[in-house]
């Protein structure tokens, strides 16, 4: 694995609104791929061609009660955690992603 670089863009992700309140697609503009939850399998998270209508690529972002600036990623309908149950997003003012 290469060293951490502040100019590397392969892990720069943006949240694109996906219709419902607090539901987003996590998209990398450099690779033009989205994070896919592979909800119908036991697979881990995938990088996949972005499709705004793809349910596997829609995440409900939910604040974690009692933890400032910390958010949980769930399937868009909120029924289950994304295929990485320990994945927690943090705002840019703290650690951007924690697995």
């Amino acid at each position: 694995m290469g060293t951490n670089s502040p100019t590397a863009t392969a892990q720069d992700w943006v949240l694109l609104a996906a219709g419902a309140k607090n539901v987003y697609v996590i998209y990398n503009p450099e690779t033009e791929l989205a994070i896919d939850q592979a909800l119908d399998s036991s697979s881990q998270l995938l990088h996949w061609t972005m499709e705004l209508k793809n349910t596997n690529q829609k995440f409900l972002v939910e604040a974690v009660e009692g933890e400032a600036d910390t958010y949980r990623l769930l399937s868009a309908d909120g029924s289950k955690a994304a295929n990485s149950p320990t994945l927690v997003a943090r705002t840019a003012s703290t650690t951007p992603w924690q697995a």
Side-chain angles (χ1 to χ4, degrees), residues 45-91:
L45 298 174
L46 307 170
H47 292 154
W48 208 259
T49 304
M50 188 195 68
E51 301 171 21
L52 281 174
K53 294 183 179 182
N54 185 339
T55 302
N56 287 344
Q57 295 177 4
K58 294 181 181 183
F59 292 85
L60 174 64
V61 178
E62 176 183 87
V64 175
E65 190 175 336
E67 295 190 37
D69 299 324
T70 304
Y71 301 87
R72 179 176 292 109
L73 300 177
L74 304 168
S75 57
D77 65 4
S79 65
K80 63 180 178 177
N83 260 339
S84 181
T86 59
L87 185 64
V88 174
R90 298 186 184 267
T91 62

Side-chain angles (χ1 to χ4, degrees), residues 23-39:
V23 174
Y24 300 91
V25 170
I26 303 172
Y27 175 70
N28 182 310
E30 177 70 22
T31 63
E32 298 183 357
L33 298 174
I35 295 178
D36 189 299
Q37 301 175 70
L39 292 169

